[in-house]
Amino acid sequence: MSAQIEEAAATGPAPRIGKGGAAPPRRGRGRGAGSVPYLLILPTVAVVVLLLGWTLVKNGLLSFQNLNKRQLIQRVTEWTGVDNYDTVLRSSEFWHVTGRSVVFTAANVVLIMAVGCLIGLLLARLGTKLRLLLSLGLVLAWAMPVVAATTVFQWLFDQRFGVVNYVLDALGWHSMAGYNWTSGQFSTFFVITVLIVWQSVPFVAINLYAATTTIPKELYEAASLDGAGTWKQFTSVTFPFLKPFFLATTFLEVIWVFKAFTQVFAINEGGPDRLTETLPVYAFQEGMGSQHFGMGAAISILTIVILLALTAYYLRLVLKQEEDEL
């Protein structure tokens, strides 16, 4: 018997017999079948490389040049090597702006995830009509263009005719009647933070609600039978089940907030006294504002490097956490 088993293992499984006693033909994959997925994504890759890759290369080359008005008028290319990077990295202002950008990003992402998750869980508990109404409001806020939303918030927080000052004055804070929200660093950051959180919460809330619909109701019923309350159900059922969603959404929000330019620049152009500049605004002011285009390009490249470093650190934490769970 053992000899027969060894012989069968060596020869492999017997071929299947089709109708009429003949073995069915094998359906082998063609030689080009493995390359079909790559051919399908080739147009997308080509467009991305053309629109983003070439721009990044040109910006990288510009960061190694001394380019200002004189060079533009004379059409002269002055290569300076790594002088722009050396100047930027030795500048204390660059590191102040970098630290400010990291703190600004962290504060916004925490608020976005907290408020977005609360609204997403609220959507899951509302009735059909209220859920539809709230979802419509979230979609409208999400669809509003960034410049339009920023303009609306400038009107809301206007010093003389703003609705916010009027409401605060009516509620008894009379000192806020003519308050200038863009006169100080923290008040300006407060307006920018409210704007960014307002724009980002719909994405988190709607996606969280969609993710909660995939959780089996039996898990909540079992947790309820065990005496688990709302918070316990969230920590023992909702959060563990949606953990990949939280990780991916947080990752996207970090990227979106860190590179935010329009909101910060449009509110007060990085003021007062450049105290609310983040790295994208700082790169623009040094490049376009001061006409030091090579310096601005170097700052933008360093911004990308810092963002990649933060992303790599975050992905490392995610992978390590997944390995621990396994």
Side-chain angles (χ1 to χ4, degrees):
M1 181 65 69
S2 60
Q4 294 176 355
I5 295 175
E6 292 178 0
E7 182 180 357
T11 57
R16 293 180 298 170
I17 304 299
K19 294 182 179 180
R26 294 185 177 180
R27 297 181 179 178
R29 297 177 63 184
R31 293 182 178 180
S35 60
V36 171
Y38 301 99
L39 293 176
L40 292 175
I41 65 173
L42 183 60
T44 303
V45 174
V47 172
V48 171
V49 171
L50 180 63
L51 296 180
L52 300 181
W54 177 245
T55 304
L56 183 61
V57 170
K58 292 291 290 184
N59 193 55
L61 294 176
L62 182 61
S63 66
F64 295 103
Q65 301 176 20
N66 178 28
L67 182 63
N68 51 37
K69 286 185 178 180
R70 183 175 65 85
Q71 281 78 15
L72 287 174
I73 294 174
Q74 297 179 354
R75 297 184 179 180
V76 176
T77 302
E78 294 184 8
W79 295 94
T80 59
V82 296
D83 288 352
N84 289 330
Y85 291 97
D86 182 67
T87 303
V88 172
L89 293 175
R90 290 177 181 273
S91 172
S92 60
E93 184 179 4
F94 170 77
W95 294 110
H96 287 316
V97 175
T98 301
R100 185 188 305 146
S101 301
V102 172
V103 174
F104 173 75
T105 301
N108 277 270
V109 171
V110 169
L111 290 173
I112 290 169
M113 293 303 298
V115 178
C117 289
L118 290 175
I119 297 179
L121 295 175
L122 178 62
L123 283 172
R125 291 179 174 272
L126 289 177
T128 303
K129 293 183 179 180
L130 290 177
R131 183 188 303 126
L132 180 61
L133 183 63
L134 181 56
S135 299
L136 180 61
L138 291 172
V139 170
L140 291 177
W142 192 13
M144 182 175 289
V146 177
V147 176
T150 305
T151 304
V152 170
F153 270 75
Q154 286 177 321
W155 292 342
L156 290 175
F157 288 91
D158 185 74
Q159 181 178 2
R160 296 181 59 188
F161 307 106
V163 176
V164 175
N165 287 351
Y166 174 80
V167 172
L168 292 176
D169 180 35
L171 292 176
W173 285 284
H174 302 295
S175 60
M176 303 298 294
Y179 183 73
N180 184 6
W181 288 91
T182 59
S183 62
Q185 181 184 25
F186 292 103
S187 59
T188 304
F189 265 133
F190 174 79
V191 177
I192 297 171
T193 299
V194 173
L195 170 59
I196 291 179
V197 171
W198 180 80
Q199 290 179 308
S200 304
V201 160
F203 173 78
V204 178
I206 294 175
N207 281 277
L208 177 64
Y209 165 68
T212 56
T213 60
T214 64
I215 303 177
K217 295 182 179 179
E218 292 79 6
L219 297 178
Y220 288 108
E221 294 176 357
S224 179
L225 292 175
D226 291 338
T230 304
W231 175 251
K232 187 63 177 179
Q233 290 182 13
F234 175 78
T235 57
S236 60
V237 179
T238 306
F239 184 78
F241 199 89
L242 300 182
K243 195 172 184 180
F245 161 80
F246 288 111
L247 296 176
T249 306
T250 303
F251 170 70
L252 293 175
E253 290 300 331
V254 167
I255 295 176
W256 194 83
V257 174
F258 191 85
K259 69 181 184 65
F261 170 82
T262 306
Q263 299 91 332
V264 181
F265 185 81
I267 290 295
N268 200 18
E269 298 184 1
D273 299 326
R274 305 186 67 174
L275 292 176
T276 59
E277 285 184 352
T278 55
L279 279 174
V281 178
Y282 179 58
F284 178 83
Q285 294 287 24
E286 289 295 320
M288 299 298 295
S290 302
Q291 301 294 314
H292 295 157
F293 300 105
M295 191 73 67
I299 296 172
S300 65
I301 293 295
L302 290 174
T303 302
I304 296 174
V305 172
I306 293 173
L307 184 57
L308 290 176
L310 293 175
T311 302
Y313 177 74
Y314 178 76
L315 292 178
R316 181 182 177 185
L317 293 178
V318 172
L319 294 175
K320 184 179 179 181
Q321 193 170 10
E322 291 181 354
E323 292 177 355
D324 294 339
E325 291 178 355
L326 294 175

